[in-house]
């Protein structure tokens, strides 16, 4: 089961305030995928060397991450559930841990996220081709950058450059699109105004 998961900040407020917040979210995401702190700390974009996170270890065979984008007030994930742990359990762990981090760091209280996450089941091939393009073009839509390669908080650079975050499972989308060139071309040709 492949799902497009997204959630935004309470009252559409920011959930990522600086680079450390982005890394904290990705670090927690990696832990939920079954990576160890040692594995994650090898990557600058994922590193949280002094963490006190209490996410119980999980098996790397429960989920696969195909695409992500962390926007200032929301996030997108394209995930496949391949094991017995539910998406709800996975997301509850991730969002609860990140909410505690944000509230403590920024000395705030209350809900970080607006509501429970949304999950859209990917039901056909065209939706599977459309969704990663949509996810990777979010920073363009919101005018944060002019090209997706310039936005480091998405998985676009893992496909379009030499960056190779261990949390991304690239093989599946590359097979789906036929080649990295086709994936890049379809992403860049994605009509942001009509498609979003």
């Amino acid at each position: 089961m492949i799902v497009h998961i997204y959630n935004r900040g309470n009252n559409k407020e920011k959930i990522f305030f600086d680079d450390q917040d982005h890394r904290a979210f990705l670090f927690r995401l990696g832990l939920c995928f079954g990576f160890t702190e040692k594995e994650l700390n090898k990557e600058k974009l994922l590193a949280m060397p002094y963490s006190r996170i209490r996410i119980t270890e999980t098996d790397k065979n429960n989920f696969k991450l195909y695409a992500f984008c962390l926007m200032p007030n929301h996030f997108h994930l394209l995930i496949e559930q391949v094991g017995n742990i539910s998406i709800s359990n996975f997301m509850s762990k991730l969002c609860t841990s990140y909410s505690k981090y944000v509230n403590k760091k920024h000395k705030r209280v209350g809900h970080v996220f607006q509501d429970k996450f949304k999950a859209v089941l990917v039901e056909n091939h065209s939706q599977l081709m459309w969704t990663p393009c949509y996810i990777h073009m979010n920073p363009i839509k919101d005018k944060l950058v002019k090209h997706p390669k310039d936005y480091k908080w998405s998985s676009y650079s893992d496909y379009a450059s030499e960056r190779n975050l261990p949390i991304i499972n690239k093989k599946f989308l590359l097979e789906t699109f036929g080649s990295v060139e086709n994936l890049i071309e379809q992403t860049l040709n994605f009509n942001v105004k009509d498609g979003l």
Side-chain angles (χ1 to χ4, degrees), residues 71 136-152 154:
M71 299 291 286
H136 290 147
M137 291 301 281
N138 252 249
I140 311 309
K141 174 188 70 92
D142 285 1
K143 297 180 174 66
L144 297 177
V145 292
K146 291 186 178 183
H147 194 285
K149 70 176 170 43
D150 299 324
Y151 195 72
K152 67 180 174 181
S154 92

Side-chain angles (χ1 to χ4, degrees), residues 36-48:
T36 66
E37 290 189 23
K38 186 177 180 181
E39 288 173 306
L40 296 170
N41 279 324
K42 288 179 184 176
E43 295 288 338
K44 185 179 177 185
L45 218 60
L46 305 175
M48 293 294 293

Side-chain angles (χ1 to χ4, degrees), residues 4-5 67-71 76-78 130-139 154-155 190 196:
H4 172 202
I5 295 171
F68 75 85
C69 187
L70 309 184
M71 299 291 286
H76 294 272
L77 306 171
L78 183 60
W130 181 89
T131 304
C133 297
Y134 169 86
I135 289 171
H136 290 147
M137 291 301 281
N138 252 249
S154 92
S155 53
F190 185 77
L196 298 176

Side-chain angles (χ1 to χ4, degrees), residues 64-148:
K64 293 180 181 176
L65 176 65
Y66 299 130
F68 75 85
C69 187
L70 309 184
M71 299 291 286
N73 72 345
H74 67 283
F75 67 82
H76 294 272
L77 306 171
L78 183 60
I79 293 179
E80 182 174 12
Q81 178 187 346
V82 291
N84 294 325
I85 297 174
S86 71
I87 293 281
S88 291
N89 187 326
F90 175 92
M91 290 305 298
S92 174
K93 207 184 288 190
L94 174 64
C95 291
T96 299
S97 178
Y98 185 72
S99 294
K100 287 179 180 178
Y101 159 84
V102 167
N103 282 343
K104 184 174 182 180
K105 179 183 173 190
H106 297 287
K107 297 178 174 59
R108 59 186 305 281
V109 293
H111 297 284
V112 172
F113 296 103
Q114 179 174 310
D115 205 349
K116 187 179 178 210
F117 70 93
K118 307 290 187 278
V120 177
L121 182 64
V122 176
E123 299 182 281
N124 55 54
H125 185 74
S126 62
Q127 189 182 5
L128 180 59
M129 301 280 282
W130 181 89
T131 304
C133 297
Y134 169 86
I135 289 171
H136 290 147
M137 291 301 281
N138 252 249
I140 311 309
K141 174 188 70 92
D142 285 1
K143 297 180 174 66
L144 297 177
V145 292
K146 291 186 178 183
H147 194 285

Side-chain angles (χ1 to χ4, degrees), residues 26-58:
L26 291 177
F27 187 82
R28 285 161 173 77
L29 184 62
L31 290 175
C32 289
F33 279 120
F35 289 88
T36 66
E37 290 189 23
K38 186 177 180 181
E39 288 173 306
L40 296 170
N41 279 324
K42 288 179 184 176
E43 295 288 338
K44 185 179 177 185
L45 218 60
L46 305 175
M48 293 294 293
Y50 303 109
S51 95
R52 292 186 178 171
I53 301 167
R54 300 290 176 252
I55 292 180
T56 53
E57 208 170 292
T58 58

